[in-house]
Every structure is written in structure tokens, then in C-alpha cells.
Amino acid sequence: MHVSPVVNGIAPGMNAIPLPASAESNRDARADRGFRWLVTAAGLFVLVALAAAALSMLWGGRAAFDKFGLAFLWSNAWDPVNRVFGALVPIYGTVVTALIAMLIAVPVSFGIAMFLTEIAPKWMRGTVSAAIELLAGIPSIIYGMWGLFVLVPVLAEHVYPRVDAHLGGLPLVGALFSGPPLGLGMGTAGLVLAIMVIPFIASVMREVFLTVPGRLKESAYALGSTRWEVVWDVVLPYTRSAVIGGVFLGLGRALGETMAVTFVLGNAHELTASLLMPGNSIAATIANEFAEADSEMYRSALIALGFVLFLVTFVVLTIARLMLRQLAKKEGRA
Amino acid sequence: MSPLPLYGVRRAKSLAAQALAVLATVFGLFWLAWILWTTLSKGLASINLDLFTRMTPPPVEAGGMLNAFFGSALMSLLGIAFGAPVGVLAGTYLSEYSGRSWIGAMIRFVNDILLSAPSIVLGLFVYALVVARMGHFSALAGAISLAFIVLPVVVRTTDEMLRLVPAQMREAALSLGVPQWKVTLQVLYRSALPGIVTGILLALARIAGETAPLLFTALNNQYWTTDVTQPMANVPVVIFQYAMSPYEGWHTLAWAGAFVLTLFVLAVGLVARAVVASRRMPHD
């Protein structure tokens, strides 16, 4: 809130002893101005930080953008020896893994939020939501290690051979599910990402479900609605924009997640339809190759990839924030 | 008389949905239990005193991660030292000075974006800002990249906590003739302190396990160093390199490091919650 500083004078009409403009009050006024400048500069620094991050990556990637033009975005070349680069394979991998993650995480998060707000007995809610939030606190590198050493062998031995045998022969979608059971690949990365973003989406959904006024739900129950009908026809419509915001927040995280994906994606620069095959993502490519990038063009191409990732997540997160704000406005706390 | 068929269908649908919701929760908790169990069992099996007393070893030799622990602690503390003061001041601006102006709304919006921006992007930014200028990787660059992750967390919590302080406290202090900067420092900060500390602890928990930005800034160092202008070992990057290597001994060390890291991050998170719980705002 804005409070204008008390000026050294006295309001007219008040019968008070006028204060002399002492050295002390002058010092206070100066200190006030100084403090205001200091905090304003800190606030503006936040704006500058984001703009500088975007510009520095655009600048760092200029060599790649100059040489390959917009075709950088849809060329699938990735040849460090001849210094020809295109972003199609990493972009494809990023989008596919994030989509798999959202396909799993959104329904699961919705279920968790519904359980925590409508179904679970009171004593259980605090414990379970704390446990789910614990999942959000685990560093992403731990997810990656666990994925590589524990999940990948299990999937390679028990799950993917069956997926290949049963779904691999299907028309149309068969290509998605056929391939050697390596364990590493887009499907695994999508699953690990889903586990990582579930707590984020679930806690946003839980919070916004709690904002639904009790009388709305009670009215629906009084009219004979079942619990599912209350959630689907009352709670969800009331919170729709914020739920979409939460989903986009999770998507933003899934798109930019680096370590978890780098471990289990397999680091292969090949375009493949199969979810069982290794692939690459923008973040994983940068993490794997940046330290060994030996030419200016190589490094520039990687920074250009970073710029593309930045743009995409910026758009996704902007949508998320705008959607979340809609509900806050309705609540009167914009 | 049996219930109307329509009601039966609706009830069945509702029961099915509830069963699925319970299943979804079990699904979420199942992964949590599995990941924690793996970290715990593999970590406990590979932890020993050497871990805290010896340096990171070459591939087939024994060793510990002392240099990495030191590097992580130093860079995290520097990251907090750089990021938190700016964050608190920016949060103060948003809560106390920006009013309802568009610039305040804009800063809040950008800060929220920064809060969820991929950390790898911030790492690349600091690479261009610091590493490319200095010509080599350094712990200082690592700390700066961590500071950019600390910043939005602290801005957000400071802003929220200061806005929770009732307006009467400001008015009371101002009406006594206290200048606004003193009101902010001595009344508002004192009242919002637990919340601000929580924000800083949450930021610490987040940067302690942060790997991606350090790959382009601090990189790694097999040896002990306290020189912040040189590449420095740190726990996440060591875990990453050791886990991706083909050597069994390195894997063991990586699990031990992962165990300590997870324990630390979860403990800091718990302390942060305890700080909030211990001193609820006394005025409501």
C-alpha cells in the first residue's frame, strides 16, 4: 500500500506548536528519499533481469540464427563436425515428452485434488497433502538418478517388451509403441516428468478447489447431486481458469526440466516416432553438449536452443499466470 | 423398491470417480515412497566417514566428496548473500511503494515468470554474462546463477508477508512521526521476519539441489579449492558426472551424495515450515 511520508509541517487549523525544520528531520527526509530509490532500483532489477536474460541469449545465439535463419527451427541436421545445426529433433523431443507428462499428470492431479478436498477424511488431508508436497521438494537430479538406475531396468525388463508385443502391431498407433526395449527413451522421460509435475499441478488444483464457496456445493448437494456431480458441475466450472493455469504451470516446468530428462532420454539425435526409442530434448541437449562444444557455431547453436526454450516457456507461463489471475479477480483479491 | 435406474447410474458414476481419485492419490504416493526408499537404501549402504573427509577420487580409487560439499555450501551461501537482499528490497518496493501502479503489477508478473522459468535458461544467461567475459568457469559465476533463482522466491514471499502486516501498524508508527524508512526497517520487517526467513530457507532448499545452471558456470573441480574465481566442485554436478559414468565406485559415491543432498533439502524445507508455524502473525 502507498503511504505518503509525513511531511514536516502541521495540518492547517491545528493548534499545535510548529516544529522547526531541524537538521534531524532534514536527514530523515533525505534518508526516506534514498530508501525509496534503493527499493525502486531493486524492483526494477527484477524487470531488467528477465529482459537481460532474453537479450543475452538472443545475442549469444545470433551466429546460429544468422547462418541458418528461421530454418534452424525445422531442420533436423545436428552435425557438430561440419557445424550444421537444426533444432527440430530437440524441439520434437521436448514437446513429445512434455505432452506425455501432461497426459499422465493432469488426470492424476485432478484425482488427487478431488481426493484431498472432497473425499478424504479430515485427519488424512493434512498428512497426504504434505506428503505430495514433499515430492515437489526432492531435487530433480534425484529423480534423474532414480529413473536411470531403478526405473529404466524395470521398464526394459518387464514393461516395454510387453508394450512392444501387444501394442506394437496395432495399425496407426503401432509405430508409437514398437522398438527395442532399451528402457531409455521418450516414454520413460515422459513418465519421470509426469511424476515431477504431479505435485505442482495437484497443489494448485487443491488450493483453488478450496476457494469454492461452501454454499455453492451445499446447494448442489441439497438438490440431490452426487459427489462427482458436485466436483464436475460446480467446483470445476467455478475454478476452470485457475485449473487451466495450474496445468500450464506444470507444462512450463515439464518443458524446461533438465536433469531428470537428461538421465533417461538417451541423448540420441534422431527423429523417431517410437516412444520406446531414445531421443533428445532442448534442455537435455544443452546440458549434455555445452561443456564439450568446441566451436563458436556449436556453442551459438546451443544458446539459440536455449532462446527457443525461453520463448516457449515464457508464453506458456504467461498464459498460466493470466489464467490463475482470473480466479483471483473473481475472489476479489486481484 | 429399488432406487430409480437413473439415480443408480449417477451413483455408480460417482462411486467410480471417487475410486479413481483414491487410486490417483495412491499412484502419487507410490512414486514418492519408491524414490525415497531408493535414495535411503542405496544412500545408507554407501555412506561412510570418507565421504566427509576425502576429496573426489579418480575413477577406480576410493574417496569422498569433501570438496563438493564445501563448494556447494559456499556457492549456496554466496547465492543467498547476493540474491536475498535484492529480493527483500524488491519485495518491499512491491508491497510498500508501488501502490496500484502498472509498474508494480508488471514487476509482480515478471517475477512470477522468473519464479517458474527453467533454471537451465538462467544458467545460460549467467554463462553469457560472467563466464564468457571472464574467459573461464568459476564458482563466482555459479553463485550468481543461483542468486537469480533465489531472487524471485524471496521477492514473492517478502511481498506477500509485508502485505499481511495490518495497515494500522504503519499508520500508528507514521503518526508518531517516524519516517517511512524507519517504519519499514523497524516495524514492518520485524513483524514479517518469520515469513521472510521462510522465503530465504525455501530458496536455499531450492538452490542446494540445482544442477543445470552450475553446468555452465561453476562446472566441476576434482581438487580442493577456495578460490571463487576458479571452477569449483559441487554436489549436484559431481552426482551428475559420477552417475553418468560407467564406474561402479563413482555410482556408489553418487548415491551417497544424493542421500545427503535429499536429506538436507527435505530438512531445510521442514525447518522453513516450522519457522512459519512457530510464530503466526500475532495480530488477527
Side-chain angles (χ1 to χ4, degrees), chain A residues 123-201:
Chain A
W123 56 267
M124 213 188 213
R125 295 183 183 183
T127 327
V128 174
S129 59
I132 296 285
E133 269 167 42
L134 204 62
L135 199 58
I138 298 174
S140 63
I141 188 161
I142 308 293
Y143 283 91
M145 262 189 99
W146 168 81
L148 179 65
F149 288 110
V150 181
L151 187 65
V152 163
V154 171
L155 290 177
E157 229 169 280
H158 303 291
V159 180
Y160 285 163
R162 279 172 214 175
V163 169
D164 186 29
H166 291 101
L167 300 175
L170 293 179
L172 290 178
V173 295
L176 284 177
F177 300 110
S178 58
L182 299 170
L184 295 167
M186 310 258 238
T188 314
L191 178 60
V192 174
L193 277 180
I195 300 168
M196 289 193 69
V197 299
I198 282 172
F200 284 86
I201 305 179

Side-chain angles (χ1 to χ4, degrees), chain B residues 20-41:
Chain B
L20 285 176
V22 174
L23 264 180
T25 311
V26 172
F27 181 84
L29 294 177
F30 164 74
W31 302 110
L32 172 71
W34 195 2
I35 293 170
L36 283 184
W37 168 248
T38 306
T39 317
L40 195 73
S41 61

Side-chain angles (χ1 to χ4, degrees), chain A residues 1-6 24 28 31-32 35-36 38-40 42-47 49-50 52-53 56-57 104 107-108 111-112 114-115 119 128 130-135 137-143 145-146 148-151 154 191 195 198 224-229 249 252 256-259 262-263 283 286-288 290-291 299 302-303 306 309-310 313-314 317-318 321-322 325, chain B residues 7 10-11 13-14 17-18 20-22 24-25 27-29 31-32 34-36 38-39 42 86 89-90 92-93 95-97 99 103 105-107 109-122 124-125 127-128 148 151 155-156 167 170-171 174-175 177 179-182 184-185 189 209 211-212 215-216 219 236-237 239-240 243-244 251 254-255 258 261-262 265-266 273:
Chain A
M1 63 170 275
H2 182 89
V3 184
S4 55
V6 175
E24 192 184 348
D28 278 343
D32 250 348
F35 191 70
R36 172 182 283 270
L38 187 66
V39 295
T40 309
L44 292 177
F45 181 77
V46 175
L47 287 185
L50 192 79
S56 75
M57 271 182 297
I104 303 172
V108 169
I112 292 175
M114 179 179 161
F115 176 80
I119 300 171
V128 174
I132 296 285
E133 269 167 42
L134 204 62
L135 199 58
I138 298 174
S140 63
I141 188 161
I142 308 293
Y143 283 91
M145 262 189 99
W146 168 81
L148 179 65
F149 288 110
V150 181
L151 187 65
V154 171
L191 178 60
I195 300 168
I198 282 172
S225 300
T226 62
R227 211 175 254 178
W228 169 246
E229 286 163 351
L249 214 54
E257 175 49 45
T258 311
M259 299 324 291
T262 306
F263 272 100
I286 302 173
N288 270 322
F290 199 82
R299 195 157 281 178
L302 288 170
I303 295 179
L309 178 65
F310 178 85
T313 47
F314 182 82
L317 292 172
T318 301
R321 292 297 165 186
L322 292 177
R325 196 178 285 180
Chain B
Y7 183 61
R10 286 171 53 207
R11 226 173 63 143
K13 223 165 135 184
S14 178
Q18 291 181 57
L20 285 176
V22 174
T25 311
F27 181 84
L29 294 177
W31 302 110
L32 172 71
W34 195 2
I35 293 170
L36 283 184
T38 306
T39 317
K42 295 222 182 203
V86 182
L89 288 175
T92 309
Y93 172 73
S95 157
E96 305 300 314
Y97 289 88
I103 188 104
M106 176 115 155
I107 292 174
F109 187 78
V110 164
N111 189 64
D112 280 348
I113 301 265
L114 215 51
L115 194 63
S116 342
S119 58
I120 192 166
V121 166
L122 295 172
L124 283 178
F125 167 45
Y127 171 85
F148 276 107
L151 178 73
V155 172
R156 177 89 182 259
R170 296 180 180 83
E171 286 160 9
L174 288 170
S175 69
Q180 199 180 357
W181 67 275
K182 268 192 189 163
T184 309
L185 290 183
Y189 282 170
T211 319
L215 283 173
F216 325 124
L219 204 62
V237 172
I239 293 177
F240 178 55
M244 292 297 244
H251 290 175
W255 278 116
L261 181 64
T262 310
V265 169
L266 295 183
R273 271 165 199 242

Side-chain angles (χ1 to χ4, degrees), chain B residues 101-160:
Chain B
S101 67
W102 64 270
I103 188 104
M106 176 115 155
I107 292 174
R108 275 201 188 101
F109 187 78
V110 164
N111 189 64
D112 280 348
I113 301 265
L114 215 51
L115 194 63
S116 342
S119 58
I120 192 166
V121 166
L122 295 172
L124 283 178
F125 167 45
V126 174
Y127 171 85
L129 195 71
V130 183
V131 181
R133 297 259 170 89
M134 284 175 76
H136 56 88
F137 298 103
S138 69
L140 192 66
I144 293 173
S145 71
L146 295 180
F148 276 107
I149 300 169
V150 171
L151 178 73
V153 181
V154 176
V155 172
R156 177 89 182 259
T157 41
T158 305
D159 178 21
E160 279 178 1

